[in-house]
Amino acid sequence: MKFGKSKDLLFYFFPQLRVAKFSFDFLKCSYYLYRNRKKMKFAVKLMVSAVAAFFFILIFGFLIFPRVIKGKIKSMTPVVPDSDMRKMFTKVPFGLDFKIYLFNVTNPMDVQKGSKPKLVEVGPFCYSEWKEKIDISDNPKEDTMVYKPMDTFFKEHWTGCLTGEEELTILHPLMVGMVNTVSRTKPAMLSLISKAVNAIYRKPSSIYLTAKANEILFDGVVIDCGITEFAAKAVCTQLQQSPDLRHVSDTELAFSLIGPKNATPGKVFKIYRGEKKSRNLGLILEYDGKKRMDVWPTKECNTFGGTDGTIFPPFLKKEEGLESFSPDLCRSLVAKYEKNTKYDGIPVWLYTASLGDMSKNADEKCFCPTNETCLKKGMMDLFKCIGVPIYVSLPHFYDSDESYLRAVEGLHPSKTLHGIEIYFEHMTGGPVSARKRLQFNMPIEPIPKIAIFNDLPTLVHPIFWVEEGVSLNDTFTKPIKNLFTILKVVKIIKWIILMASLVGIVIAAYLMYKNSVTLNLNSVHKVQPSDGASPADGLGENEKSNHFNHDLDNVN
């Protein structure tokens, strides 16, 4: 019997010999690994280092570091006393760009006979708008604060801006507003209003006002209420009680479009400070002492949604949108995500907003003038909000129903020039650039009981539009850019380390495999001659028998 077959026979009858053989082979391999430890040492070290680097960067770079940055940003955003964010929030350290464009009517007498108004946009008239909050108090237990907003305007003479001394003809806001209000609420009094209009405005020939831009916007157009005629006196008594008219003398009032808002405190806001929960930062709890408006017919439309528009929570998601409440509109608007872009090298999200379509959108039906009548797309009636039928839209009727645009001449809507856009940095929750644009209009229609309204066309008549804008300069964008630079460097480093560790693991595994194969070959060569002969070959029969018995003794 040959040696190999004898060995297989022994393993068959004595299975425990396989354990002995395995132990022998393991010791033999360990011996050769020990003798070749220098060859394996580098591969082992490389494997250990690469695995350690892989798990370190995976845990720290991808899990811990982002949480640390997120936590740091959240700790900096609350508007708590003495914080940098509080200082910025309570008094914006720069003036916003505030531009006004008036619509000059070139054919006023033709409109009186039923023709389309021919409009020429005149502007911009430029101002810096300084925003601050006054009468501030905190409630740390609730994590809330209350304040009154106040905007102050200063005339600016930037390149391309007009002086304000230009004389223009615009739709008379006070006259038309007064007539429209009575027509809606107390149509039986139209005859009285007709007499009052003739007396106060000295028998006007049209529904238009001609005055200088500065007078129309801030200084005020004087109204003489020193009239003894009954109807005029009754109307003037009501006008004298209006907070939007400036008292020039005992008998004279001054009307302007923007003047009443200048350096005038608004109503009280109550908001979350965002210290206990960053997601609540800036969210409105109450306005004017109320938890909900009582303007609209539904609870949803009367809700104060979002913030006041000057601050937003950090780490908002794209699909959430940017929601803010506008007291001038008595409603909240939601700007929707449009695309990713950059501002001054900073990755930002572009948001745009519109006034919706109450004629088709069920969620906006509550903003309709009545339950049966709704304005068309892009138009909103503020009568329930401010008590005067002023219609608001985007400038030049952009994103509005085309019927509004066809009713007048001279408008040229453009998304770039007339849309609402916000460039928003979502990590810090701050707009880095924004353009809020709104156009104010009034409806006109024939009113037979008032002579100068008798032959008017039925349409929505533009008066003016405003643009409130801000674009942060390097002073304010530099900290954000530095943050993104750090994040970018860390991102590059962690991916380099991750890839290097994976490459190291592969190389170490290859070296260890190669070395193990070499060691196995060496062990085989140590046990057997290179020509493949058995160790017992070349011995005599007696010597082979003795050699076999010797092996058995060793195994036993």
Side-chain angles (χ1 to χ4, degrees):
M1 183 181 293
K2 291 185 179 180
F3 176 77
K5 291 183 179 180
S6 300
K7 183 172 63 174
D8 293 340
L9 187 62
L10 287 172
F11 287 156
Y12 179 78
F13 287 106
F14 302 97
Q16 63 271 24
L17 292 179
R18 291 184 181 274
V19 178
K21 182 179 183 300
F22 173 79
S23 300
F24 175 75
D25 289 341
F26 177 78
L27 292 173
K28 179 174 65 176
C29 182
S30 299
Y31 171 73
Y32 282 108
L33 286 173
Y34 173 75
R35 289 188 61 182
N36 295 274
R37 62 188 182 278
K38 290 183 179 180
K39 293 182 180 180
M40 295 294 292
K41 191 173 184 180
F42 172 74
V44 172
K45 281 186 175 182
L46 180 60
M47 177 62 78
V48 171
S49 300
V51 170
F54 175 81
F55 283 104
F56 172 80
I57 204 65
L58 195 66
I59 295 172
F60 182 79
F62 288 87
L63 296 177
I64 297 178
F65 183 75
R67 292 175 180 270
V68 171
I69 292 295
K70 191 173 183 178
K72 182 64 176 176
I73 292 174
K74 285 183 176 181
S75 69
M76 295 171 62
T77 54
V79 286
V80 293
D82 300 324
S83 68
D84 292 336
M85 186 62 72
R86 175 67 165 257
K87 295 174 184 177
M88 286 275 291
F89 179 67
T90 54
K91 190 170 185 178
V92 180
F94 51 82
L96 279 65
D97 299 340
F98 192 82
K99 298 178 180 180
I100 308 174
Y101 299 81
L102 293 167
F103 288 109
N104 183 49
V105 182
T106 61
N107 64 334
M109 299 315 297
D110 292 336
V111 179
Q112 292 295 142
K113 299 174 183 178
S115 297
K116 289 182 180 181
K118 293 182 180 180
L119 309 173
V120 177
E121 179 184 278
V122 180
F125 302 97
C126 304
Y127 303 84
S128 58
E129 178 187 11
W130 294 82
K131 289 183 171 292
E132 62 178 315
K133 278 81 174 175
I134 61 174
D135 299 338
I136 301 171
S137 62
D138 290 82
N139 187 329
K141 186 177 180 180
E142 293 182 348
D143 191 26
T144 61
M145 64 180 291
V146 297
Y147 62 86
K148 292 179 181 177
M150 187 173 73
D151 300 336
T152 305
F153 299 89
F154 295 95
K155 179 71 176 175
E156 298 289 354
H157 301 280
W158 302 320
T159 302
C161 297
L162 302 184
T163 63
E165 293 300 312
E166 297 79 6
E167 192 169 79
L168 306 169
T169 297
I170 69 167
L171 188 71
H172 201 307
L174 186 59
M175 180 198 298
V176 176
M178 180 173 60
V179 171
N180 283 347
T181 301
V182 173
S183 178
R184 283 196 184 189
T185 58
K186 299 177 181 179
M189 295 183 62
L190 283 174
S191 297
L192 179 69
I193 290 297
S194 179
K195 295 178 181 179
V197 168
N198 286 331
I200 294 173
Y201 296 105
R202 307 294 190 268
K203 295 183 179 180
S205 59
S206 76
I207 59 172
Y208 292 97
L209 163 69
T210 299
K212 291 182 179 180
N214 284 336
E215 295 173 336
I216 295 171
L217 296 176
F218 281 94
D219 296 342
V221 177
V222 175
I223 304 167
D224 184 8
C225 275
I227 303 170
T228 57
E229 197 273 332
F230 173 75
K233 190 172 182 180
V235 170
C236 279
T237 300
Q238 295 296 318
L239 293 178
Q240 287 174 338
Q241 298 176 10
S242 173
D244 294 332
L245 297 178
R246 180 169 58 87
H247 289 253
V248 179
S249 66
D250 292 339
T251 59
E252 292 181 322
L253 301 173
F255 165 78
S256 63
L257 296 176
I258 312 296
K261 293 181 176 297
N262 192 18
T264 303
K267 295 179 180 178
V268 178
F269 279 87
K270 182 179 181 180
I271 67 166
Y272 279 117
R273 303 185 306 175
E275 184 177 25
K276 293 182 178 179
K277 191 175 182 180
S278 62
R279 288 282 304 174
N280 290 339
L281 175 65
L283 296 184
I284 299 172
L285 286 167
E286 296 178 10
Y287 175 69
D288 193 24
K290 302 175 183 177
K291 296 182 182 296
R292 191 176 292 113
M293 292 178 286
D294 52 9
V295 176
W296 311 109
T298 67
K299 176 182 177 181
E300 289 74 18
C301 285
N302 280 320
T303 300
F304 302 119
T307 70
D308 68 353
T310 61
I311 193 171
F312 294 94
F315 299 105
L316 288 175
K317 297 179 180 178
K318 293 178 181 178
E319 60 273 14
E320 292 180 89
L322 302 178
E323 187 176 15
S324 58
F325 171 70
S326 173
D328 293 334
L329 307 182
C330 294
R331 68 172 289 188
S332 294
L333 291 176
V334 180
K336 297 180 180 179
Y337 168 81
E338 185 169 301
K339 65 178 182 179
N340 283 18
T341 184
K342 286 191 175 183
Y343 173 82
D344 195 19
I346 301 171
V348 295
W349 296 343
L350 173 61
Y351 286 83
T352 57
S354 71
L355 293 173
D357 187 352
M358 64 181 68
S359 65
K360 295 181 180 179
N361 190 340
D363 294 334
E364 296 174 346
K365 289 285 184 181
C366 53
F367 298 125
C368 294
T370 69
N371 294 332
E372 295 78 24
T373 60
C374 289
L375 298 181
K376 297 176 183 178
K377 178 184 178 184
M379 193 69 65
M380 181 179 178
D381 186 354
L382 300 184
F383 179 71
K384 291 183 178 180
C385 177
I386 61 177
V388 179
I390 293 178
Y391 287 8
V392 66
S393 67
L394 295 185
H396 287 241
F397 295 140
Y398 168 71
D399 197 34
S400 300
D401 190 89
E402 289 188 3
S403 62
Y404 298 123
L405 187 62
R406 290 195 300 265
V408 299
E409 294 182 17
L411 301 188
H412 307 283
S414 163
K415 179 179 180 180
T416 303
L417 298 176
H418 307 132
I420 296 176
E421 57 183 25
I422 303 171
Y423 292 86
F424 185 73
E425 200 295 290
H426 79 286
M427 283 204 304
T428 57
V432 294
S433 179
R435 292 290 180 272
K436 176 185 175 183
R437 299 162 172 139
L438 288 175
Q439 178 172 297
F440 297 88
N441 321 273
M442 279 189 169
I444 60 172
E445 61 182 354
I447 301 178
K449 290 186 178 182
I450 301 179
I452 58 174
F453 282 75
N454 191 44
D455 298 319
L456 293 178
T458 300
L459 52 86
V460 177
H461 198 306
I463 303 174
F464 71 105
W465 68 274
V466 299
E467 176 185 276
E468 183 183 70
V470 60
S471 294
L472 298 185
N473 58 30
D474 190 63
T475 302
F476 298 98
T477 59
K478 189 175 181 180
I480 303 176
K481 287 192 285 187
N482 290 340
L483 172 62
F484 273 95
T485 299
I486 294 171
L487 294 176
K488 188 174 182 179
V489 170
V490 170
K491 183 178 180 180
I492 292 172
I493 291 174
K494 71 182 183 183
W495 278 107
I496 289 175
I497 295 175
L498 184 66
M499 296 307 297
S501 63
L502 290 174
V503 171
I505 291 172
V506 172
I507 292 174
Y510 172 74
L511 291 176
M512 293 177 73
Y513 170 76
K514 184 178 179 181
N515 289 335
S516 65
V517 170
T518 302
L519 293 176
N520 287 337
L521 290 175
N522 288 339
S523 65
V524 170
H525 287 305
K526 291 288 184 179
V527 174
Q528 295 182 346
S530 60
D531 59 0
S534 170
D537 288 351
L539 299 177
E541 289 297 326
N542 293 332
E543 291 173 320
K544 289 181 179 180
S545 178
N546 292 334
H547 185 75
F548 178 77
N549 293 332
H550 179 69
D551 285 343
L552 286 177
D553 292 336
N554 288 338
V555 172
N556 292 329

